[in-house]
Amino acid sequence: MSISLRTVSTAVYQYSKDSLRQRLVILPIKRVFTTDTPKASEAPLKGIRVLDLTRVLAGPYCTMMLGDLGAEVIKIEHPRGDDTRAWGPPFTESMDPQDDACQGESAYFLSVNRNKKSVTINFKSKEGQTILHDLVKQCDVLVENYVPGKLAEIGMGYDQVSKINPRLIYASITGYGQTGPYASRPGYDVVIEAEAGLMHITGEPNGPPVKVGVAITGKLSFSFSFFCKKTSLYLHPKPPTRQLNNPPNPNPNSSFSLTQGLHAHSAILAALFQRHTTDRGQWIDCSLLESQVSTLVNIGSNYLIGQKEAQRMGTSHPSIVPYQVFPTKDSFIMLGAGNDGQFSKLCHYLGLSSLVTDLRFITNALRVQHRQALVGVLQERLQQATTQHWLDQLKQAGCPMAPINNIKGTMEHPQIQARGLVQEVEHAKAGKIRLIGPPVKYSGFTPAIRLPPPVLGAHTEHVLQEVLGYSKADIERLNKNKALG
């Protein structure tokens, strides 16, 4: 038997009324939820409004995913715009003939800002701060990635805004968290890659430490799916001139790992779910340092349990052999054998069946022990033919294998095309552009790019009128007083 959220709320209320009169005031159920069964096509976060005070990468990545799930995301920008609007080339070609000083939108900004509305506000203006407070009253979630204490200086810290809206979920994305001796330090993803052990284990065995190719660490295992399975919530200027010869300095507290954005996104969904029972918001403290340490998973556990220090191993695996990139006659191929059966098939299709009965290689533990000898034999064999030859030859082996695709090869991958991950949208300034879309598929709804990445300030007037109820006269006054930039 299914029960609607309205019925649950009423049942709790009646139970409290009949049996726990003294607790009725302590545990109010104020929110009225829908009595209708959610339609299969409705996005799970439809009706959730997010106040996005983030810039650059981790924060925008987090809020973009909330937007993909149907939330209304209001991106607040300085009148100059998010720093990444100027990070390029590449830029799109602008369709505006008057846009001589600007070269369209940056590819960087476009990558993490779909499904958002852009509003420009001058934070230093008292009227601008009033607008922010008014937006807090109308939002369910606030996400920010400023140095701890910075927003409190303009009345936007958690302790301040939670008094304005006790049901607000406030997510802070920082380098080192809100407490501890490093709390006030700005965070750079590459610095914390070094500091949190990731750079130590990345690179060739005899080479220097190297950073990961994109601002991301470890396994991106946080899923969109848990929250969507559990519930759907029903709640009620001119672009900057780019000096291409003088690239902007990155904001030190914003260039964060995508893993951190996933952690923050997951935490926000959990807090929204918990709010059903508490009717209260909460403060989420998500640090890059802890996010990256958590992605060490088995490597970290090896040290904590066995005091085993990790080493750089290139593409090879510390516990599985073979499982690495091998050179071929014309390029490279990634091959693996995760169990004895896969190893046997791999050897058969490589024409090396004698390895299967070699006493040095009959189990994975022995293969790890005799890694150098086995890898040497495999390398010699694989270099005798091209990558495509081996891909065709090994197709029936059932072993993990892949070519080393460049980005062109990745975007043209037949599986990526079949899944519709790359989508074409119409952008106000750039015309038709292609973007990577939402990566998760659902049986209950279809994620989509409802809104292209916004032009700077494109939704300022709309949000002030439709969300806050400001009049045109109010907006004219705010513009005159430079509260909007």
Side-chain angles (χ1 to χ4, degrees), residues 7-28:
T7 305
V8 171
S9 300
T10 304
V12 172
Y13 179 83
Q14 290 297 120
Y15 181 78
S16 301
K17 181 177 179 182
D18 295 339
S19 306
L20 298 170
R21 283 189 170 86
Q22 298 304 314
R23 297 183 64 189
L24 178 59
V25 177
I26 300 173
L27 297 172

Side-chain angles (χ1 to χ4, degrees), residues 50-55 73-79 81-82 117-123 128 131-132 135 146 156 456 463:
V50 178
L51 186 59
D52 182 3
L53 302 183
T54 68
R55 306 91 71 215
V73 179
I74 300 173
K75 181 179 178 69
I76 306 300
E77 300 189 66
H78 186 280
D82 187 312
K117 299 174 180 178
S118 173
V119 173
T120 55
I121 295 178
N122 180 0
F123 282 29
I131 297 171
L132 291 175
L135 284 168
Y146 286 81
M156 288 294 290
L456 179 62
V463 169

Side-chain angles (χ1 to χ4, degrees), residues 12-171:
V12 172
Y13 179 83
Q14 290 297 120
Y15 181 78
S16 301
K17 181 177 179 182
D18 295 339
S19 306
L20 298 170
R21 283 189 170 86
Q22 298 304 314
R23 297 183 64 189
L24 178 59
V25 177
I26 300 173
L27 297 172
I29 305 297
K30 297 179 181 178
R31 180 71 64 166
V32 177
F33 300 102
T34 180
T35 56
D36 299 328
T37 301
K39 297 178 182 178
S41 60
E42 285 187 338
L45 293 189
K46 181 181 179 181
I48 296 293
R49 183 175 287 139
V50 178
L51 186 59
D52 182 3
L53 302 183
T54 68
R55 306 91 71 215
V56 184
L57 187 56
Y61 191 65
C62 168
T63 56
M64 179 180 70
M65 288 187 291
L66 296 173
D68 289 346
L69 295 179
E72 178 188 9
V73 179
I74 300 173
K75 181 179 178 69
I76 306 300
E77 300 189 66
H78 186 280
R80 291 194 305 270
D82 187 312
D83 292 348
T84 61
R85 288 184 181 272
W87 285 10
F91 297 104
T92 63
E93 293 292 330
S94 177
M95 296 182 66
D96 183 356
Q98 305 300 319
D99 198 16
D100 296 333
C102 188
Q103 299 191 20
E105 295 285 1
S106 77
Y108 199 121
F109 177 84
L110 294 172
S111 70
V112 288
N113 285 287
R114 63 176 179 257
N115 290 329
K116 300 180 185 182
K117 299 174 180 178
S118 173
V119 173
T120 55
I121 295 178
N122 180 0
F123 282 29
K124 296 181 180 180
S125 161
K126 288 294 182 182
E127 288 178 307
Q129 293 168 20
T130 298
I131 297 171
L132 291 175
H133 289 162
D134 287 345
L135 284 168
V136 164
K137 297 173 186 176
Q138 303 299 324
C139 289
D140 300 284
V141 178
L142 184 154
V143 188
E144 59 91 8
N145 61 349
Y146 286 81
V147 172
K150 198 67 178 176
L151 285 181
E153 295 175 6
I154 60 170
M156 288 294 290
Y158 175 72
D159 290 339
Q160 296 153 319
V161 300
S162 63
K163 294 175 182 176
I164 299 173
N165 181 357
R167 302 186 79 254
L168 183 73
I169 292 158
Y170 188 108

Side-chain angles (χ1 to χ4, degrees), residues 12 200 240 296 373:
V12 172
H200 171 71
L296 294 175

Side-chain angles (χ1 to χ4, degrees), residues 435-457:
L435 299 173
I436 298 173
V440 181
K441 307 294 189 287
Y442 302 84
S443 63
F445 88 108
T446 302
I449 302 180
R450 307 183 316 280
L451 297 172
V455 173
L456 179 62

